[in-house]
C-alpha cells in the first residue's frame, strides 16, 4: 500500500498580486495556498511508501529504501531543521503589513515599511525594530501529525510577538489558541513548540513594534527551527560552516572547537596557525591575530592579605587573540603593586584574616571596628550596604552572555575596582555584561511588623556610564524566580546619580544590572573603553542582611534585658518608656522610622487614615465653608473606577493608539482599585487578578495608564493593551484650593465653571521615580458640579495637553458629574404662597433655578393654612363706615344746637351793654337773669373740643385749637 506526502514551500519571490484578494491582513498571505499555487510555484511533491526513515537516514528514491547519511551530512529522518541563517532559507518568506496595507517581498512596498523585514544574522534571524508588522512565513503539507519547535529571545514588551498556524482556508488552527509568545529574561533563550495537524500548515512568526516615543525596541531573535512530522527526507543536509560530522548516519553536526574552522559539509575541522591566527568556536575561517593594545587587558584587585594590603594584577582578556611580538604591540603592565585594602563594608568585620565576615546576629559594625551588641531598647537595622569593592560580595555574581555566539561564556562580566565595580571587557561589544544580587526576602523592623500596604524595603544604587556609542544599562527585577522585567534603563553617557526602587512585597528578589556597549551585530571590541561604574548598592530590611547600626525598638511592659517586641499596626515607640503607642486619629505611620510621636504624619486635607494607620485616603465626603454657607459633598457614587479612553494618537508611521486611564477616586478603605494591564493575551483582567499575585503584567493604583492599540490598527483579533504605568499610588488630600504639595492646577488648564459652586480637587502622587520624573509622577483630579451629566458623568483632559500631561510627570483630569454637586440645604429652595380660597391658603416649596445641588435635604411638603377671605373684610369695613357716618351726623347736630344757644346769649348780652339805664360803667360780667339756667357760663380753655378734634382729623392739622368768647366791656368809651 502506498501513501503520499507533499512538502509545500512558499517561494520567496512570489508576485505581490497574489495578496490582493483577501481583506483580513493575517489571511492575505494564506490566499497563496490556492489550488493553482499548490500545483505550481513553490511546491515539492514526492511519493513515499508506508514506512518512515529514522534519524540520520534519508529515503533513496530509486530503490525506496532508507540509507544512512554520509560523513559531513546529517538528517533528522522525519524532520527538517533550520539552524543556518546567513541568508533566508528557501521556502521562507517575509511579508510586511502596515495599517491596512499588505506588501510582499518585492520592491512595491510602501516607503514606510520598505525596509521592514526579518534579517538573517548567521546563527539566528532577527525581527524588525520599527512599528510595521512583519511576518516570517513557512508552509508545510503533512500527511501525518507532527510539531514545530524553535528557540527565541523576546525581552521587550514594546514589540508584540505572535506565533500561529493557519490552514489553507485562512483559518487559524485551534492548536495555536494561545498564540502570544512569552517574554524571556535578558540574554536567555526560551523555547516554544506547537503541535501540527496533517494537511497544510502555514507557520507565522509575526512581530509588531509599538513606538510611542523615540526609544527603539529590542528585536525578537529566533533560531533552530525544527519541524517534525515529515515522514521522510529525500536527501541529507550538509553540515553548516563551523560544524562537522565524522560518522555516517549522523542526525546532528558537531561544533568546531576554538582555533579551528570548517567549511560547509565538512567531515572534520581544520586547525588554525596558532602563532598568527585564531578562531572562535563554530568558526568558518581563521583570522589574523592583531597587535595587542590597552583594550586587550584589564586589572583586578586581589583579596586582602594579613597585612591589610591588596595587589593590583593585570591580566589578558581571555581568550587572548592579540600578539605581543608585532610592531606597535604593547606589553602587559607589571602586576604586584600593593595598596592598602579598603575597609570592610558596613555590617562586616575583619577578624585578623584576609577577608571580611558578616557580623553575628544582634550585633553591628561600621566596617572599621569589631562587631558590638546593640544597646538595650534597640535592634539591628538589617540590610546590605556595599560601597567597598575589593572582592565580589557573596550574594552577588557576574556573567557574560552574547545572543549570537559563545565567545564570552565563562567570562566575568564585571570587575571589582576598590571604590566601585565596573563592567568588564567581555568578548565583543554587543555582549551583555551581567551583575546579579540575590536577596531571599524583605521584612520591616520588629516594631513595624504587621503594617499593611506599606513599604517593606528599598534598593538604592549610585552609578555612572561612560560611553562613546549607543550603550545601554538595564536595571531588572525578578520576583520569586518567575520572570525578569526591565524596571528602568539608561542610554548613553550619564553623570553620577542615584536610583531607588521600592519593595512592597515580601518575596525572593533577584536584581540584575545588564550593560551592553552597542546593540549592533558585531564581534569586535571597538568600544571596550565604554563602561558603567556602580559605586554603592544599598538594600534595606533584607531578611539575611547585616547591620551597620541599631535602631530603637519597643520593649514589653515586663521587659527583661533588651528583648524587643513588635508594635501593633499603626503604633509608634514612645521615647520616654519605649512602649508602643497608637498614632492619633487621621495620621499615618512613617515607613522610615517609628521612634517618637513625630513618626505619625498627619493626613492631608479632607482625608483620614485607615484603621491600622498605614495610609491616608478619602472617605468620599468633603466639607467646605463658603460665604457663611456650608457645602457638603458626597462622592460615594463615584467611588467605583472611572475610565477615560483618550485619543486617537498616531506614531510616526501612522499606527493608531489610545491612552486609557483608570481612576479610583475615593473610598474602599484606601484600596487601590484602578487596574491596568499589559494584556497581550485573551485573558480578562478578572482572570488575571484571580490567578496569581505575581502576575507581572498587572498594576493596581489610584490612577494608572495603559496604551491601547485597536484591533483594526494591526489586524489583531482583539485590542492590545501595553505599557501600563502607575500614575498615582499615594493619596495626598482633597481641597477646593488648586495647589497642594507643589501640584498646581493652572487657571487656564480647564474651562471656567458656569456656576458659583467651587470645584473640588483630589491630589495624588506616585512613589516610583524615573529618569525623567526624579520626584515621581503626580495627578490632580478636578471634580466639577454639572447637572447636565448624570451618573458617573464624563472625564476629560486639558485641551492643550491631549495626553493628560504636558511634561510627562504631572497629569490633570476634569471629572464632571451631577454627583460632584454639593448636598442640598435650605438655601437651595424658596417658598411660593398661593391665594386664600374658602378660608384656606397653600404654601409650595421649589428648588432655585438652576439647581446646583443633589441629594441632601428634600423639599418640604406643601403647607395648608387657614385664612380670611376678602368678602368678610369688605362687610366689616362697610359696617364701620356706616357707624362712623351716623356718629358724625349726631355730633354735628348736637354742636349746632349748642352753638345757637351761645349766639342767642351773646346777642342778648350786647343789647344789655348798650342800655343807657346804667350811668356808671357796668361790671364786665353778665348776671344771671332771674329764671334762667346757669347755661351761659363761659369757660376758657386751651383744650380742643371733640368737634375740633374731628375737624383736625379731617384737615390733618397739627396745631393746638381752643375756643374763647370775648365779652365787650360795659364801660362807656368815655371813661
Amino acid at each position: 500500500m502506498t501513501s503520499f506526502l507533499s512538502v509545500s514551500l512558499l517561494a520567496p519571490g512570489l508576485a505581490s498580486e497574489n495578496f490582493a484578494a483577501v481583506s483580513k491582513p493575517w489571511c492575505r498571505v494564506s490566499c497563496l495556498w490556492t489550488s493553482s499555487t499548490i500545483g505550481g510555484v513553490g511546491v515539492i511533491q514526492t511519493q513515499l511508501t508506508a514506512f518512515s526513515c529514522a534519524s540520520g537516514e534519508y529515503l533513496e528514491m530509486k530503490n525506496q529504501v532508507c540509507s544512512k547519511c554520509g560523513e559531513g551530512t546529517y538528517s533528522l529522518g522525519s524532520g527538517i531543521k533550520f539552524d543556518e541563517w546567513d541568508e533566508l532559507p528557501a521556502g521562507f518568506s517575509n511579508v510586511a503589513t502596515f495599517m491596512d496595507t499588505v506588501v510582499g517581498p518585492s520592491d512595491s512596498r510602501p516607503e514606510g515599511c520598505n525596509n521592514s523585514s526579518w534579517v538573517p544574522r548567521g546563527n539566528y534571524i532577527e525581527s524588525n525594530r520599527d512599528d510595521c508588522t512583519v511576518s516570517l512565513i513557512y508552509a508545510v503539507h503533512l500527511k501525518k501529525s507532527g510539531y514545530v519547535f524553535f528557540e527565541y529571545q523576546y525581552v521587550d514588551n514594546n514589540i508584540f510577538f505572535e506565533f500561529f498556524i493557519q490552514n489553507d482556508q485562512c483559518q487559524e488552527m485551534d492548536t495555536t489558541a494561545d498564540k502570544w509568545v512569552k517574554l524571556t529574561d535578558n540574554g536567555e533563550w526560551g523555547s516554544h513548540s506547537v503541535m501540527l495537524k496533517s494537511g497544510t500548515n502555514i507557520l507565522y512568526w509575526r512581530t509588531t513594534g509599538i513606538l510611542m516615543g523615540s526609544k527603539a525596541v529590542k528585536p525578537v531573535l529566533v533560531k533552530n527551527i525544527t519541524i517534525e512530522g515529515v515522514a521522510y527526507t529525500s536527501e541529507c543536509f550538509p553540515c553548516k560552516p563551523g560544524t562537522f560530522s565524522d560518522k555516517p548516519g549522523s542526525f546532528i553536526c558537531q561544533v568546531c572547537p576554538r582555533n579551528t574552522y570548517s567549511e560547509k559539509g565538512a567531515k572534520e575541522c581544520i586547525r588554525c596557525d596558532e602563532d598568527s591566527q585564531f578562531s572562535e568556536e563554530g568558526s568558518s575561517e581563521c583570522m589574523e591575530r592583531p597587535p595587542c593594545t590597552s583594550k586587550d587587558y584589564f586589572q583586578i584587585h586581589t583579596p586582602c592579605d594579613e597585612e591589610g594590603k591588596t595587589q593590583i594584577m593585570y591580566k589578558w582578556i581571555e581568550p587572548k587573540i592579540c600578539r605581543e611580538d608585532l610592531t606597535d604591540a604593547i606589553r602587559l603592565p607589571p602586576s604586584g603593586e600593593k595598596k592598602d585594602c579598603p575597609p570592610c563594608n558596613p555590617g562586616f568585620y575583619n577578624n585578623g584574616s584576609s577577608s571580611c565576615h558578616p557580623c553575628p546576629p544582634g550585633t553591628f559594625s561600621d566596617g572599621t571596628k569589631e562587631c558590638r551588641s546593640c544597646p538595650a531598647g534597640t535592634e539591628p537595622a538589617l540590610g546590605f550596604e556595599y560601597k567597598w569593592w575589593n572582592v565580589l560580595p557573596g550574594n552577588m555574581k557576574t556573567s557574560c552572555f552574547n545572543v549570537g555566539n559563545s565567545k564570552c561564556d565563562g567570562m566575568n562580566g564585571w570587575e571589582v575596582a576598590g571604590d566601585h565595580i565596573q563592567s568588564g571587557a567581555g568578548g565583543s561589544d554587543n555582549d551583555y555584561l551581567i551583575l546579579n544580587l540575590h536577596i531571599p526576602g524583605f521584612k520591616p523592623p520588629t516594631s513595624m511588623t504587621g503594617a499593611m500596604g506599606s513599604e517593606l524595603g528599598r534598593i538604592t544604587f549610585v552609578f555612572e556610564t561612560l560611553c562613546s556609542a549607543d550603550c545601554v544599562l538595564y536595571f531588572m527585577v525578578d520576583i520569586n524566580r518567575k520572570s525578569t522585567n526591565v524596571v528602568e534603563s539608561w542610554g548613553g553617557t550619564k553623570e553620577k546619580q542615584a536610583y531607588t526602587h521600592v519593595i512592597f512585597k515580601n518575596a525572593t528578589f533577584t536584581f540584575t544590572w545588564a550593560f551592553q556597549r552597542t546593540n549592533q551585530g558585531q564581534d569586535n571590541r571597538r568600544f571596550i573603553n565604554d563602561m558603567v561604574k556602580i559605586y554603592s548598592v544599598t538594600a534595606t530590611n533584607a531578611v539575611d542582611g547585616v547591620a551597620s547600626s541599631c535602631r530603637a525598638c519597643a520593649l514589653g511592659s515586663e521587659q527583661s534585658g533588651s528583648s524587643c517586641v513588635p508594635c501593633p499596626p499603626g503604633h509608634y515607640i514612645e521615647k520616654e518608656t519605649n512602649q508602643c503607642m497608637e498614632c492619633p486619629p487621621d495620621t499615618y505611620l512613617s515607613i522610615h522610622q517609628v521612634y517618637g510621636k513625630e513618626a505619625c504624619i498627619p493626613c492631608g486635607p479632607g482625608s483620614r487614615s485607615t484603621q491600622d494607620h498605614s495610609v491616608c485616603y478619602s472617605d468620599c465626603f468633603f466639607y467646605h465653608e463658603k460665604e457663611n454657607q456650608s457645602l457638603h459633598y458626597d462622592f460615594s457614587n463615584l467611588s467605583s473606577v472611572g475610565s477615560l479612553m483618550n485619543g486617537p494618537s498616531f506614531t510616526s508611521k501612522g499606527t493608531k493608539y489610545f491612552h486609557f486611564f483608570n481612576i479610583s477616586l475615593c473610598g474602599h478603605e484606601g484600596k487601590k482599585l484602578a487596574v491596568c494591564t499589559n494584556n497581550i493575551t485573551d485573558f480578562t483582567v478578572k482572570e488575571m487578578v484571580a490567578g496569581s499575585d505575581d502576575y507581572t503584567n498587572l498594576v493596581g493604583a489610584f490612577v494608572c495608564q495603559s496604551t491601547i492599540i485597536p484591533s483594526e490598527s494591526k489586524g489583531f483579533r482583539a485590542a492590545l493593551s501595553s505599557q501600563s504605568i502607575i500614575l498615582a499610588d499615594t493619596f495626598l488630600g482633597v481641597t477646593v484650593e488648586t495647589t497642594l504639595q507643589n501640584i498646581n492646577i493652572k487657571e487656564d488648564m480647564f474651562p471656567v465653571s458656569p456656576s458659583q459652586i467651587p470645584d473640588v480637587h483630589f491630589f495624588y502622587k506616585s512613589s516610583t521615580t524615573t529618569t525623567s520624573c526624579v520626584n515621581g509622577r503626580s495627578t490632580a483630579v478636578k471634580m466639577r458640579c454639572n447637572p447636565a451629566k448624570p451618573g458617573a458623568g464624563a472625564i476629560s483632559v486639558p485641551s492643550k495637553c491631549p495626553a493628560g500631561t504636558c511634561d510627562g510627570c504631572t497629569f490633570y483630569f476634569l471629572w464632571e458629574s451631577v454627583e460632584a454637586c454639593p448636598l442640598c440645604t435650605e438655601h437651595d429652595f424658596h417658598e411660593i404662597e398661593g391665594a386664600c380660597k374658602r378660608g384656606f391658603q397653600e404654601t409650595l416649596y421649589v428648588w432655585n433655578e438652576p439647581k446646583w445641588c443633589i441629594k441632601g435635604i428634600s423639599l418640604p411638603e406643601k403647607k395648608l393654612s387657614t385664612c380670611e377671605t376678602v368678602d368678610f373684610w369688605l362687610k366689616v369695613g362697610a359696617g364701620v363706615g356706616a357707624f362712623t357716618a351716623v356718629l358724625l351726623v349726631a355730633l354735628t347736630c348736637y354742636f349746632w344746637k349748642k352753638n345757637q344757644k351761645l349766639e342767642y346769649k351773646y346777642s342778648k348780652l350786647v343789647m344789655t351793654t348798650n342800655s343807657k339805664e346804667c350811668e356808671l360803667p357796668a361790671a364786665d360780667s353778665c348776671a344771671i337773669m332771674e329764671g334762667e339756667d346757669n347755661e351761659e357760663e363761659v369757660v376758657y380753655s386751651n383744650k380742643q373740643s371733640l368737634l375740633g378734634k374731628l375737624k383736625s382729623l379731617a384737615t390733618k392739622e397739627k396745631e393746638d385749637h381752643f375756643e374763647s368768647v370775648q365779652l365787650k366791656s360795659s364801660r362807656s368809651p368815655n371813661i
Side-chain angles (χ1 to χ4, degrees):
M1 184 175 184
T2 304
S3 62
F4 290 88
L5 166 75
S6 60
V7 180
S8 306
L9 305 179
L10 179 62
L14 291 174
S16 60
E17 54 265 25
N18 292 323
F19 296 95
V22 182
S23 59
K24 293 182 179 180
W26 63 79
C27 199
R28 299 183 190 190
V29 182
S30 302
C31 290
L32 292 168
W33 298 95
T34 60
S35 58
S36 59
T37 306
I38 293 179
V41 180
V43 178
I44 303 173
Q45 293 185 345
T46 55
Q47 187 177 23
L48 174 70
T49 55
F51 57 86
S52 299
C53 295
S55 298
E57 297 179 342
Y58 72 100
L59 179 65
E60 187 178 343
M61 297 300 297
K62 183 177 181 180
N63 300 322
Q64 288 195 358
V65 295
C66 293
S67 302
K68 290 185 177 182
C69 293
E71 297 177 351
T73 63
Y74 75 99
S75 168
L76 299 178
S78 60
I80 306 172
K81 185 175 182 179
F82 301 96
D83 57 358
E84 189 174 345
W85 299 96
D86 295 317
E87 59 182 4
L88 199 64
F92 281 88
S93 176
N94 264 311
V95 176
T97 63
F98 185 72
M99 302 296 288
D100 291 330
T101 304
V102 178
V103 291
S106 66
D107 295 336
S108 61
R109 299 185 181 187
E111 184 177 355
C113 293
N114 190 45
N115 296 320
S116 296
S117 65
W118 287 75
V119 181
R121 295 293 189 189
N123 292 327
Y124 59 89
I125 186 168
E126 178 184 284
S127 75
N128 59 308
R129 297 170 180 258
D130 52 26
D131 53 355
C132 293
T133 297
V134 182
S135 297
L136 178 68
I137 306 170
Y138 184 82
V140 60
H141 188 85
L142 303 178
K143 287 295 184 180
K144 66 176 184 177
S145 60
Y147 68 89
V148 57
F149 169 88
F150 61 91
E151 296 179 70
Y152 70 96
Q153 274 203 13
Y154 175 30
V155 298
D156 193 345
N157 60 5
N158 290 317
I159 189 169
F160 295 128
F161 181 29
E162 310 167 78
F163 177 75
F164 58 97
I165 304 169
Q166 289 184 353
N167 58 22
D168 55 0
Q169 301 299 319
C170 297
Q171 296 174 342
E172 288 192 23
M173 311 286 278
D174 55 7
T175 56
T176 55
D178 185 11
K179 66 178 182 178
W180 302 102
V181 182
K182 296 180 180 179
L183 289 167
T184 61
D185 294 342
N186 236 346
E188 294 186 5
W189 289 94
S191 62
H192 190 81
S193 62
V194 177
M195 296 301 297
L196 300 178
K197 293 184 177 181
S198 60
T200 300
N201 293 267
I202 309 173
L203 314 181
Y204 288 81
W205 293 265
R206 186 167 69 177
T207 55
T208 303
I210 308 300
L211 301 180
M212 249 59 79
S214 58
K215 189 175 180 179
V217 299
K218 294 184 70 64
V220 174
L221 312 181
V222 174
K223 69 176 183 178
N224 293 337
I225 299 177
T226 303
I227 302 175
E228 285 285 350
V230 179
Y232 77 99
T233 178
S234 60
E235 60 180 357
C236 296
F237 298 95
C239 292
K240 68 177 183 178
T243 63
F244 71 99
S245 67
D246 55 355
K247 297 179 180 179
S250 298
F251 66 92
I252 191 172
C253 295
Q254 303 178 54
V255 178
C256 288
R258 184 175 283 119
N259 294 326
T260 64
Y261 76 98
S262 70
E263 297 178 348
K264 188 174 183 179
K267 302 178 182 179
E268 61 181 358
C269 298
I270 304 172
R271 184 170 296 277
C272 300
D273 182 359
E274 295 185 2
D275 294 332
S276 61
Q277 294 178 328
F278 76 99
S279 70
E280 302 294 342
E281 285 187 358
S283 294
S284 60
E285 61 179 351
C286 295
M287 294 178 289
E288 296 295 324
R289 295 183 180 271
C292 292
T293 66
S294 59
K295 298 179 180 181
D296 293 304
Y297 69 87
F298 62 97
Q299 70 174 25
I300 62 172
H301 292 72
T302 62
C304 294
D305 57 23
E306 296 180 355
E307 299 177 355
K309 300 289 185 179
T310 179
Q311 294 185 4
I312 299 178
M313 307 296 292
Y314 295 93
K315 293 185 176 182
W316 293 112
I317 297 174
E318 294 295 340
K320 181 183 176 184
I321 61 174
C322 66
R323 295 177 60 182
E324 302 178 57
D325 57 346
L326 296 178
T327 306
D328 298 331
I330 66 169
R331 299 295 181 92
L332 192 68
S335 300
E337 179 185 358
K338 289 191 175 183
K339 289 186 176 182
D340 291 336
C341 283
C344 294
N345 281 309
F348 292 81
Y349 74 101
N350 191 317
N351 60 359
S353 64
S354 60
S355 59
C356 295
H357 301 274
C359 286
T363 63
F364 72 100
S365 172
D366 62 359
T368 61
K369 302 176 183 178
E370 293 184 356
C371 300
R372 294 172 292 169
S373 298
C374 288
T378 64
E379 64 178 346
L382 298 179
F384 293 103
E385 183 181 359
Y386 298 132
K387 61 181 181 180
W388 300 112
W389 303 93
N390 189 54
V391 293
L392 194 67
N395 59 349
M396 300 184 76
K397 67 178 182 178
T398 177
S399 58
C400 178
F401 181 81
N402 191 295
V403 298
N405 56 65
S406 57
K407 291 168 61 176
C408 75
D409 290 357
M411 291 185 178
N412 288 331
W414 293 64
E415 303 290 346
V416 294
D419 64 345
H420 67 274
I421 184 172
Q422 64 187 28
S423 55
S428 56
D429 287 340
N430 61 349
D431 292 341
Y432 285 100
L433 308 174
I434 298 172
L435 178 67
N436 302 110
L437 169 63
H438 178 76
I439 296 180
F442 289 86
K443 69 176 183 179
T446 302
S447 301
M448 294 181 62
T449 300
M452 300 297 294
S454 60
E455 173 185 322
L456 293 183
R458 56 176 54 195
I459 180 169
T460 302
F461 58 94
V462 178
F463 72 99
E464 69 173 337
T465 56
L466 306 171
C467 300
S468 59
D470 56 339
C471 73
V472 181
L473 171 65
Y474 299 93
F475 175 64
M476 299 172 287
V477 175
D478 172 81
I479 302 177
N480 291 332
R481 299 179 178 178
K482 292 191 174 182
S483 63
T484 301
N485 295 290
V486 177
V487 176
E488 191 59 85
S489 62
W490 299 266
T493 299
K494 297 296 180 184
E495 296 180 351
K496 191 175 182 179
Q497 58 186 277
Y499 178 81
T500 298
H501 179 70
V502 180
I503 308 298
F504 293 98
K505 182 178 181 179
N506 184 15
T508 300
F509 281 82
T510 299
F511 303 99
T512 301
W513 294 265
F515 181 70
Q516 188 181 38
R517 296 189 183 94
T518 178
N519 61 6
Q520 302 300 321
Q522 55 185 13
D523 293 334
N524 51 33
R525 295 172 176 172
R526 290 191 303 149
F527 307 114
I528 196 169
N529 292 327
D530 292 2
M531 67 177 64
V532 56
K533 296 180 179 181
I534 295 181
Y535 293 91
S536 65
V537 177
T538 303
T540 63
N541 299 336
V543 169
D544 61 344
V546 294
S548 61
S549 62
C550 299
R551 57 190 162 202
C553 67
L555 301 178
S557 56
E558 299 179 357
Q559 80 266 20
S560 60
S562 60
S563 176
C564 295
V565 298
C567 285
H571 287 62
Y572 67 95
I573 303 173
E574 209 279 325
K575 291 182 177 180
E576 298 293 333
T577 62
N578 271 32
Q579 299 298 308
C580 298
M581 302 290 292
E582 185 176 4
C583 283
D586 297 333
T587 63
Y588 68 96
L589 190 63
S590 170
I591 58 178
H592 301 295
Q593 63 98 10
V594 294
Y595 194 60
K597 193 173 182 179
E598 59 270 19
C600 302
I601 304 173
C603 293
S607 60
R608 59 184 303 177
S609 64
T610 55
Q611 188 174 1
D612 61 2
H613 297 276
S614 59
V615 294
C616 295
Y617 72 101
S618 169
D619 60 0
C620 297
F621 294 94
F622 179 68
Y623 169 81
H624 174 62
E625 194 77 28
K626 175 179 180 279
E627 298 176 357
N628 298 324
Q629 180 182 353
S630 299
L631 297 179
H632 295 263
Y633 295 83
D634 181 6
F635 300 102
S636 299
N637 289 342
L638 301 178
S639 62
S640 58
V641 177
S643 300
L644 168 65
M645 182 78 79
N646 185 43
S649 300
F650 297 89
T651 64
S652 59
K653 290 191 175 182
T655 299
K656 181 168 66 175
Y657 66 93
F658 296 84
H659 287 305
F660 181 71
F661 300 94
N662 276 332
I663 302 175
S664 178
L665 187 70
C666 60
H668 307 288
E669 290 290 324
K671 294 180 180 177
K672 305 164 188 176
L673 299 184
V675 174
C676 295
T677 177
N678 295 333
N679 185 17
I680 60 171
T681 69
D682 294 330
F683 294 127
T684 63
V685 172
K686 180 178 179 182
E687 289 171 340
M688 287 187 289
V689 173
S692 172
D693 294 338
D694 297 325
Y695 198 91
T696 55
N697 289 334
L698 193 67
V699 298
F702 288 116
V703 184
C704 62
Q705 171 192 320
S706 295
T707 300
I708 305 296
I709 303 169
S711 57
E712 69 273 10
S713 178
K714 291 292 184 181
F716 298 129
R717 291 181 296 178
L720 301 180
S721 174
S722 68
Q723 299 181 348
S724 297
I725 58 175
I726 294 176
L727 303 183
D729 55 15
T730 303
F731 180 71
L732 299 179
V734 53
T735 176
V736 296
E737 304 296 331
T738 57
T739 302
L740 182 66
Q741 293 192 17
N742 299 324
I743 307 175
N744 180 33
I745 306 176
K746 297 180 180 179
E747 294 183 359
D748 60 346
M749 191 70 70
F750 296 103
V752 179
S753 174
S755 74
Q756 298 300 319
I757 302 298
D759 296 331
V760 180
H761 306 101
F762 285 74
F763 293 92
Y764 310 85
K765 72 173 183 179
S766 171
S767 58
T768 303
T769 60
T770 63
T771 53
S772 56
C773 303
V774 293
N775 296 320
R777 298 183 178 92
S778 56
T779 302
V781 182
K782 179 187 283 285
M783 306 300 298
R784 175 168 293 174
C785 173
N786 190 338
K789 296 186 182 296
I795 304 175
S796 60
V797 295
S799 57
K800 65 178 183 180
C801 304
T805 178
C806 298
D807 59 1
C809 297
T810 304
F811 291 77
Y812 305 94
F813 301 93
L814 173 62
W815 195 336
E816 297 179 276
S817 171
V818 65
E819 297 291 341
C821 296
L823 301 181
C824 295
T825 66
E826 62 274 6
H827 298 286
D828 295 304
F829 63 84
H830 61 277
E831 64 179 26
I832 300 177
E833 294 183 348
C836 184
K837 296 180 180 179
R838 299 179 181 178
F840 294 97
Q841 183 182 39
E842 285 186 347
T843 302
L844 300 177
Y845 299 90
V846 295
W847 295 112
N848 298 333
E849 292 295 338
K851 182 184 177 184
W852 297 103
C853 67
I854 189 176
K855 295 181 290 189
I857 66 172
S858 302
L859 280 177
E861 298 291 337
K862 67 180 179 179
K863 183 172 63 177
L864 189 65
S865 58
T866 58
C867 62
E868 302 294 342
T869 61
V870 177
D871 294 341
F872 171 78
W873 290 108
L874 287 176
K875 293 177 181 179
V876 173
V880 172
F883 173 78
T884 303
V886 172
L887 179 61
L888 289 175
V889 171
L891 291 175
T892 302
C893 292
Y894 169 75
F895 286 109
W896 179 81
K897 181 179 179 182
K898 188 173 182 179
N899 189 49
Q900 289 296 106
K901 289 182 179 181
L902 288 174
E903 288 182 358
Y904 167 73
K905 292 178 181 180
Y906 179 75
S907 299
K908 194 172 182 179
L909 180 60
V910 171
M911 291 176 61
T912 304
T913 304
N914 292 330
S915 176
K916 294 182 179 180
E917 295 180 353
C918 300
E919 295 180 359
L920 295 174
D924 292 334
S925 64
C926 295
I928 298 175
M929 298 297 292
E930 189 177 350
E932 293 180 348
D933 298 330
N934 190 16
E935 296 177 357
E936 294 82 18
E937 182 178 0
V938 179
V939 180
Y940 294 88
S941 173
N942 60 355
K943 294 183 179 179
Q944 195 174 7
S945 65
L946 179 59
L947 182 60
K949 291 180 179 179
L950 293 174
K951 292 180 179 179
S952 175
L953 290 172
T955 60
K956 298 182 180 180
E957 295 178 353
K958 302 298 181 181
E959 304 93 311
D960 292 336
H961 295 272
F962 61 88
E963 185 179 327
S964 63
V965 178
Q966 182 178 359
L967 298 179
K968 191 173 182 180
S969 176
S970 61
R971 287 186 184 178
S972 172
N974 297 325
I975 296 177

